[in-house]
Amino acid sequence: MLERYVAVDLEMTGLHPKTDRILEIGAVKVEDGKQEIFHRMVNPRMEISRKVTELTGITDEMVKDGCEPERAAAEFREFAEGFPLVGHNLIYDYSFLKQCLVNHGETFEKDGVDTLKLARKFLPEAEKKTLDYLCSYFQISRKENHRALEDAKAEKLLFQYLQEQFEAQEPEAFLPKPLLYRAKKQGPATAKQKKYLKELTDWHKIDLNVDLDSLTRNEASRMTDKILAAYGKLSSRGGA
């Protein structure tokens, strides 16, 4: 039975590790029946969308004094060194951590166990396999939903419940396996990209609330595409 691991959960600005950023990291290290907590609020250096705030309760004010993403990810890597990871849809959280570290010239290779995969395998009768639904299913209480540390604590309990009920049936399913995510270093936005973004936001009177110097090329391209789709090119207002 796996008794040494780190249950981890993240909150992010969006769904894409190459163009979105970490907001919060929460983790629980389990070893010899003892627990150790890791928690970091992360300043993404960009405005948090209303949709994300409505889901998580995390506001710009809450993260303004937070760690830089690369520092938080590096500190978590140190916290979890030598331990496999446990999480719900674990590859999603892992991809953000790895992409963040790779962007800053570092590596992050881990093994892990995904409670979502376990739930799909052993709980076919469960109507849904989301963390929210499974917490209700197993009567796991959380002080807050969609907050990293509370979700990590819930994932630890969920993993333990699944271990107790199903590991004897198929021990192999509960063994950590390599987490596979190919992360390519995202270079910083070019001077040309930043200049064009600045021109677009000035022309359309948009306040991006983002540190342009912190953008990667992919992030700058995505922001530019969104502005062009919503507001049009620089010349589009000339004939209005």
Side-chain angles (χ1 to χ4, degrees):
M1 177 177 284
L2 185 63
E3 296 179 338
R4 296 177 68 260
Y5 56 88
V6 172
V8 60
D9 190 86
L10 273 63
E11 301 301 333
M12 304 82 150
T13 62
L15 301 175
H16 307 288
K18 289 182 173 63
T19 54
D20 291 304
R21 300 184 182 183
I22 299 169
L23 287 175
E24 184 180 28
I25 305 174
V28 183
K29 182 186 291 182
V30 177
E31 183 177 23
D32 299 328
K34 299 179 181 179
Q35 294 184 177
E36 184 179 350
I37 298 297
F38 178 96
H39 181 244
R40 297 289 185 276
M41 297 302 296
V42 180
N43 185 342
R45 291 174 281 190
M46 64 192 308
E47 187 175 28
I48 301 171
S49 71
R50 181 183 300 177
K51 182 178 180 181
V52 170
T53 295
E54 288 174 352
L55 177 67
T56 66
I58 298 174
T59 65
D60 294 314
E61 181 70 19
M62 291 168 63
V63 299
K64 70 176 185 178
D65 296 321
C67 296
E68 293 188 342
E70 60 272 21
R71 176 184 165 192
E75 289 177 351
F76 172 76
R77 181 183 58 185
E78 182 178 351
F79 175 80
E81 186 174 358
F83 288 75
L85 303 181
V86 167
H88 203 70
N89 196 13
L90 178 59
I91 196 66
Y92 176 57
D93 300 278
Y94 172 70
S95 67
F96 272 82
L97 290 164
K98 184 172 182 178
Q99 187 66 61
C100 180
L101 288 165
V102 167
N103 283 351
H104 291 85
E106 302 185 44
T107 60
F108 189 51
E109 303 297 334
K110 296 295 285 184
D111 293 346
V113 182
D114 191 337
T115 54
L116 175 59
K117 291 182 179 179
L118 293 176
R120 287 171 174 167
K121 185 177 187 66
F122 294 109
L123 297 172
E125 75 282 3
E127 182 180 343
K128 299 177 183 177
K129 307 301 189 292
T130 64
L131 182 61
D132 287 349
Y133 184 88
L134 293 173
C135 282
S136 176
Y137 187 90
F138 285 106
Q139 298 184 323
I140 298 170
S141 62
R142 290 177 289 175
K143 294 178 182 178
E144 299 174 286
N145 295 352
H146 301 291
R147 290 300 304 273
L149 184 55
E150 285 299 308
D151 283 356
K153 291 177 180 178
E155 288 160 5
K156 179 203 68 125
L157 291 173
L158 174 60
F159 179 62
Q160 290 175 342
Y161 286 143
L162 292 169
Q163 276 185 311
E164 291 167 3
Q165 294 189 28
F166 303 109
E167 187 170 16
Q169 296 179 25
E170 194 171 334
E172 176 70 21
F174 290 82
L175 294 178
K177 297 174 178 61
L179 296 171
L180 303 177
Y181 173 75
R182 293 184 63 184
K184 183 179 179 181
K185 185 175 182 179
Q186 306 295 305
T190 65
K192 183 177 180 180
Q193 284 180 307
K194 289 185 285 187
K195 181 176 181 291
Y196 187 48
L197 255 179
K198 180 69 166 55
E199 290 172 349
L200 278 174
T201 55
D202 288 348
W203 181 263
H204 294 298
K205 295 181 170 56
I206 302 167
D207 187 359
L208 278 183
N209 288 322
V210 63
D211 178 3
L212 292 180
D213 289 331
S214 76
L215 293 177
T216 65
R217 291 185 183 185
N218 277 350
E219 288 173 333
S221 293
R222 188 181 181 198
M223 286 186 179
T224 299
D225 290 344
K226 283 185 173 181
I227 293 171
L228 291 174
Y231 299 95
K233 298 180 180 179
L234 292 174
S235 60
S236 64
R237 291 181 65 188

